[in-house]
Amino acid sequence: KRAVADPMVESGLLTERQLLLVRFVFFVIAMSVWGFLATHPPLFEPVFDLFDFYTIWNYGILTVYFGLMSFYGACRLFWVKGRMESPQWRSVRMVLWELFQQQLPCSAVVALVFWVLVFPNLPNSHKPEFVRYGSLNQHGTNFLMMLFEFFANDLPVYFAHSVLLLSVSCLYLWYGVAVFGAIPSMPHLNLTRETAIVELVCVLLFHLALCLVFDRLSVWKFSRLFPKPKYIEIGVGLEAKEFGVDARG
């Protein structure tokens, strides 16, 4: 009989307890960032509220992801003692898997766009504001967390599952245009210019490009790092796929 592994909590690099500990540490770090932002509110010009920024939206999702992953891992390890087969737990696994696939490319987009495009164009007087604990964790450490998570867990990234990734991005762009007539996270963008729509489309395509990169890295991860046959179940119903075999249809 083939063993069915739980990709949410199993790892080719760490034990189940070690992975749970790392995720809980990441969750604590994320919560400490929220505490830092509450006690050291950043100063923005032009003036926007904290939750008007794409970075904050995504850091909130990252916090929820590591919090739920820690909860799921603790339930399986200490209370439920084994796999959770009910439809409710399968739904939880589906949600966690989709959050993982959304956060991995999104954290990369936030880090690359901020340090390559936004930060160099900030006035020198504003730059110290963005090299503090809160900003560094939102524009860098978050990506390192997700990159570690990618290589540590047994979860794949499928380009075909990029709907949530685009949904969050499009919702944020709509929010900025509808509420402010501008994109707070893209202060250089003048929406009255004819090229604005081209820039916005390029941002969305950049999300998809990075999602495709991690899709290909998933194939490499399972074929090179974890060559032993494993089978996974994710979401509603039993979906057995041998790692390293592209059976995504």
Side-chain angles (χ1 to χ4, degrees), residues 1-208:
K1 183 178 180 179
R2 298 181 307 186
V4 179
D6 188 341
M8 298 293 165
V9 296
E10 297 192 5
S11 169
L13 302 177
L14 303 173
T15 66
E16 190 171 332
R17 290 175 182 269
Q18 289 171 337
L19 185 57
L20 171 60
L21 177 61
V22 170
R23 284 169 170 167
F24 182 71
V25 169
F26 286 170
F27 175 66
V28 171
I29 291 174
M31 292 302 296
S32 73
V33 171
W34 290 110
F36 180 86
L37 293 174
T39 55
H40 301 79
L43 303 175
F44 302 115
E45 290 186 17
V47 177
F48 291 106
D49 291 332
L50 187 63
F51 284 90
D52 294 335
F53 290 88
Y54 189 56
T55 299
I56 297 298
W57 284 35
N58 280 288
Y59 204 76
I61 297 174
L62 177 138
T63 306
V64 170
Y65 172 77
F66 281 116
L68 288 178
M69 270 297 198
S70 299
F71 174 75
Y72 179 91
C75 285
R76 185 181 185 276
L77 191 61
F78 299 113
W79 294 298
V80 180
K81 300 293 184 183
R83 293 191 55 80
M84 289 86 92
E85 298 291 353
S86 70
Q88 291 78 13
W89 281 115
R90 292 179 182 179
S91 297
V92 169
R93 286 196 289 276
M94 175 61 80
V95 169
L96 288 172
W97 186 30
E98 294 300 334
L99 290 179
F100 169 71
Q101 295 180 97
Q102 187 271 340
Q103 268 303 291
L104 183 60
C106 238
S107 62
V109 168
V110 168
L112 289 172
V113 170
F114 180 78
W115 294 112
V116 174
L117 297 178
V118 177
F119 186 79
N121 294 314
L122 290 174
N124 289 332
S125 59
H126 294 174
K127 288 182 178 180
E129 184 73 28
F130 293 94
V131 292
R132 300 196 302 175
Y133 180 75
S135 178
L136 291 176
N137 276 279
Q138 296 169 69
H139 301 106
T141 306
N142 58 328
F143 174 56
L144 296 178
M145 289 177 180
M146 290 307 303
L147 199 60
F148 179 89
E149 174 78 4
F150 172 72
F151 284 108
N153 69 31
D154 284 356
L155 290 172
V157 175
Y158 292 166
F159 181 75
H161 289 205
S162 57
V163 174
L164 179 61
L165 173 67
L166 282 183
S167 298
V168 174
S169 304
C170 289
L171 180 62
Y172 175 77
L173 294 178
W174 174 85
Y175 170 78
V177 173
V179 176
F180 304 107
I183 309 298
S185 289
M186 302 174 68
H188 66 283
L189 181 63
N190 184 350
L191 293 179
T192 62
R193 295 186 305 177
E194 295 181 354
T195 58
I197 186 64
V198 176
E199 294 185 50
L200 292 177
V201 170
C202 287
V203 169
L204 295 177
L205 290 177
F206 188 41
H207 283 73
L208 289 178

